[in-house]
Amino acid sequence: MSTGPSLYRRHRPRTFADVVGQEHVVRTLENAVTQGKVHHAYLFVGSRGTGKTSMAKILAACLNCVNGPTTEPCGECESCVSIANASSLDVIEMDAASNNSVDDIRDLREKVAYAPVSGRHKVYILDEAHMLSPQAWNAFLKTLEEPPPRTIFVLATTEAQKVLPTVVDRCHRFDFGRPSVEQVATVLTRVAEQERIAIEPGAVALIARQSTGSFRDALGTLEQLVTYAADQTIQPADVLAVLGVADAEQLFEAVEATIARDPAGALRAAAKLAESGRDPGQLLRDLEVHGRELLTVQVLGEVPRELRVTPERDQRLAEQAQALSETDAVRLLDLVSGALDATANGAQARIQLELVLIKAATPEADPSVAALLSRIERLEAALRGGGSLHAVPAQPEDAGDGAPPQRIAARSGSAQAAPQLNEEPEPEPTPDPVPDLDLATIAASWPAVVDTVRGENAMVAALLADARPVAVSERDLTLAFPTGAAFLKRKAEQEDHRRMTAEALRTVIGQALVLRYELREELDVEEQAGTGVLSGEELVRRFLEEFDAEELLDEDDPEPDGDR
Ligand SMILES: [Zn+2]
């Protein structure tokens, strides 16, 4: 029997009136006691710390109190006191996790045969009931079906689906809901008052939120904090420290960098988070919680009560929720969820954290639908700010008809599905400089282009990693290689590789561009500076390793096509 932290033991509810939440269970059990219709077998289902065992003991006290049966046990008689301090001979707690053998059950069966000692009812509480083996259940089934008079079984489990259906059928089942954050906070506040623990309301709210619906976890944290804070008033920062949760300020900063589309800032934020010494996996989960809160605030249009911590922090949350678009909030959660999956499969959490933040900060580096939506939203924002619709990377026929901006994506889709309706499928080159086509934008998106190519062909991606976009004019883009990498340039120019690159560019940047290739001395410096990019030589070596013999023969041929 796990007893839990001592605060939890001392403050567990002793009467139905003490129970917070679980109203339906309380009402049904009260009626059963009042009407003398207590069933002989109950199945209490619910996650840990929701008060299943406490409820079973309250039921026992109701039946065995000197004033009983009563729905208000006195709490003072010998029976009530012995049940409260777990010394009652009529209330037997068993942990199925450690007593799950057939022998244990035979033992139990023999004990059940004895009549109640002093009280009116014997109550057996079998915790973690799903841990009993099928053999043990079979040995127990007969007893459960026809128990001796005034014998009550309460089976408690966190996993009802693992309990044999024949057993479930013989029990009255109650599902214990997780208490809300507010209910946990209520209990925390009450216990703190009774124990004269000085704690700030913001700290109570934080504990309640982090306890994910477990009174036991919440009171366990409070108990740790009493030691941690010594005689000082417990502050929200103490809760963060004890729980090892990411500093809220750092999470805000990280998300701010993604809103600012600042991948470097995002990387700095990730480093700051990681340097806090907290487990990177936990940081990812904290980021997930933060992202979910932002989304909640967006959907509700305000910070709901259960998320409130301190007025300053609530204000900040509301502001950030407003600054972040809903699409980006959803995308952030998607990214975190993918990262958590990857971590579960052995990926390094720290790297995953960095990737999440960088990807969140650079939707243009991500060809997924969510990222495309994010780009569209940004363009819409630019339009509202007086920009030109030509920034929308396709379908000029959408420009003039006054369609609401959020329909642009859908219309583009249908236009693609029916190109024959479109007399002029190619967008006209625009006389104005097109904002999406400046060199800086393409350069910023270049890693994403390389990544996209990598999905097709890793070696071509390796070639392109050494190239840099150096010039853009109208529809032409020049890619330059260091002078020592003529071989790489030639490979990159091959028709299929060129096509692959142009395709990736169109996916990422949203424009079809004609590619030119050249060698430039200025890139040699960058290469020598050791930017982390493979040296030309190393790349050639890998290239030769990876490509098959046919490719190698091709390499000796004269250049397959011209400079374009
Ligand atoms: Zn009593």
Side-chain angles (χ1 to χ4, degrees):
M1 190 65 237
S2 60
T3 44
S6 68
L7 266 188
Y8 179 69
R9 279 204 310 276
R10 279 209 298 283
H11 291 273
R12 63 195 315 165
R14 308 254 191 261
T15 68
F16 286 133
D18 293 339
V19 176
V20 175
Q22 324 303 353
E23 285 79 7
H24 62 296
V25 184
V26 167
R27 195 187 323 156
T28 314
L29 287 179
E30 275 182 339
N31 288 341
V33 171
T34 310
Q35 298 165 10
K37 288 182 179 167
V38 174
H39 194 64
H40 66 267
Y42 289 99
L43 178 64
F44 288 178
V45 180
S47 52
R48 65 186 292 274
T50 47
K52 302 183 292 295
T53 311
S54 300
M55 191 74 85
K57 288 183 173 178
I58 292 171
L59 178 63
C62 288
L63 295 171
N64 286 353
C65 175
V66 68
N67 303 329
T70 172
T71 56
E72 295 170 12
C74 70
E76 289 163 4
C77 71
E78 190 267 330
S79 171
C80 284
V81 170
S82 65
I83 290 173
N85 63 24
S87 65
S88 169
L89 294 172
D90 290 330
V91 178
I92 297 102
E93 287 187 66
M94 281 180 64
D95 188 346
S98 45
N99 301 282
N100 57 4
S101 72
V102 176
D103 283 346
D104 287 327
I105 291 302
R106 289 212 182 99
D107 197 38
L108 173 65
R109 258 187 349 203
E110 279 166 27
K111 281 187 194 143
V112 167
Y114 299 116
V117 181
S118 54
R120 275 176 283 262
H121 287 81
K122 247 183 163 173
V123 178
Y124 290 87
I125 303 171
L126 187 62
D127 207 2
E128 310 280 352
H130 60 275
M131 300 292 281
L132 275 196
S133 64
Q135 294 82 352
W137 276 123
N138 287 332
F140 185 52
L141 215 51
K142 186 93 179 119
T143 312
L144 191 63
E145 228 163 15
E146 293 169 20
R150 290 178 293 144
T151 299
I152 293 162
F153 292 101
V154 177
L155 315 178
T157 182
T158 50
E159 294 173 74
Q161 75 282 0
K162 289 190 186 163
V163 179
L164 286 185
T166 47
V167 173
V168 177
D169 286 349
R170 285 165 176 74
C171 298
H172 279 190
R173 171 175 171 158
F174 287 113
D175 288 280
F176 284 61
R178 281 171 186 264
S180 69
V181 172
E182 219 174 339
Q183 287 169 334
V184 175
T186 304
V187 169
L188 280 169
T189 307
R190 192 183 69 202
V191 170
E193 268 168 24
Q194 289 170 0
E195 297 273 339
R196 297 176 184 280
I197 298 168
I199 179 165
E200 294 224 333
V204 168
L206 259 183
I207 302 174
R209 271 174 47 219
Q210 295 289 334
S211 67
T212 59
S214 168
F215 291 121
R216 185 195 314 222
D217 288 354
L219 291 172
T221 305
L222 181 60
E223 194 166 319
Q224 278 177 273
L225 281 161
V226 170
T227 317
Y228 180 83
D231 286 334
Q232 307 290 310
T233 298
I234 297 167
Q235 310 281 336
D238 300 332
V239 182
L240 295 173
V242 161
L243 290 177
V245 208
D247 182 56
E249 181 54 37
Q250 290 177 350
L251 289 173
F252 276 117
E253 277 175 20
V255 174
E256 238 145 55
T258 72
I259 295 172
R261 299 284 184 254
D262 174 9
L267 202 55
R268 276 195 300 276
K272 231 170 159 181
L273 279 166
E275 279 156 20
S276 69
R278 278 158 187 149
D279 165 43
Q282 179 61 43
L283 293 173
L284 277 171
R285 286 187 289 277
D286 293 339
L287 186 61
E288 188 180 36
V289 170
H290 187 72
R292 219 183 300 138
E293 289 187 352
L294 288 169
L295 191 62
T296 306
V297 173
Q298 281 174 350
V299 171
L300 298 178
E302 61 166 5
V303 181
R305 285 192 64 150
E306 65 267 23
L307 293 188
R308 290 182 200 165
V309 182
T310 61
E312 302 75 46
R313 185 264 181 194
D314 299 347
Q315 173 72 21
R316 185 102 194 259
L317 189 68
E319 282 168 8
Q320 189 156 79
Q322 206 171 14
L324 186 71
S325 76
E326 213 167 295
T327 308
D328 281 349
V330 171
R331 199 171 148 260
L332 177 66
L333 286 172
D334 277 351
L335 289 169
V336 176
S337 147
L340 285 168
D341 285 350
T343 313
N345 288 322
Q348 265 194 42
R350 159 105 196 231
I351 293 173
Q352 290 299 316
L353 177 67
E354 288 171 350
L355 277 176
V356 164
L357 290 174
I358 292 170
K359 282 183 182 169
T362 52
E364 61 277 0
D366 177 354
S368 71
V369 172
L372 292 173
L373 278 175
S374 166
R375 279 163 51 200
I376 289 168
E377 271 180 355
R378 231 163 100 213
L379 293 166
E380 284 167 11
L383 291 184
R384 281 194 297 273
S388 151
L389 242 192
H390 292 302
V392 176
Q395 278 70 35
E397 75 270 22
D398 277 332
D401 66 5
Q406 64 266 32
R407 293 192 55 220
I408 287 175
R411 289 179 59 94
S412 305
S414 62
Q416 275 165 7
Q420 72 277 17
L421 298 179
N422 197 347
E423 282 182 24
E424 182 56 84
E426 285 293 306
E428 291 292 338
T430 46
D432 310 324
V434 178
D436 253 12
L437 269 187
D438 65 64
L439 184 62
T441 305
I442 295 174
S445 308
W446 186 244
V449 175
V450 175
D451 265 357
T452 306
V453 170
R454 187 169 295 119
E456 290 275 316
N457 185 320
M459 281 318 298
V460 176
L463 294 174
L464 295 175
D466 235 22
R468 294 285 174 275
V470 290
V472 62
S473 66
E474 302 237 346
R475 322 265 319 262
D476 290 355
L477 173 67
T478 308
L479 296 176
F481 286 84
T483 52
F487 166 80
L488 304 180
K489 168 178 162 280
R490 264 203 319 278
K491 278 291 167 195
E493 296 179 287
Q494 278 181 11
E495 192 47 43
D496 45 344
H497 299 166
R498 176 195 292 270
R499 206 169 41 235
M500 207 179 284
T501 310
E503 202 46 50
L505 264 166
R506 206 167 60 185
T507 304
V508 174
I509 294 166
Q511 281 279 3
L513 290 164
V514 178
L515 292 172
R516 299 166 179 277
Y517 299 82
E518 59 180 55
L519 299 175
R520 283 208 182 180
E521 277 176 14
E522 68 213 51
L523 292 177
D524 300 355
V525 182
E526 186 191 335
E527 194 188 4
Q528 283 156 13
T531 47
V533 177
L534 291 178
S535 73
E537 216 176 62
E538 167 69 357
L539 196 57
V540 169
R541 191 186 60 73
R542 290 202 195 173
F543 192 85
L544 292 174
E545 265 172 24
E546 296 275 339
F547 270 63
D548 58 23
E550 202 174 0
E551 289 279 335
L552 291 175
L553 288 179
D554 281 352
E555 198 273 314
D556 292 331
D557 292 343
E559 293 203 355
D561 48 25
D563 233 13
R564 288 189 48 157

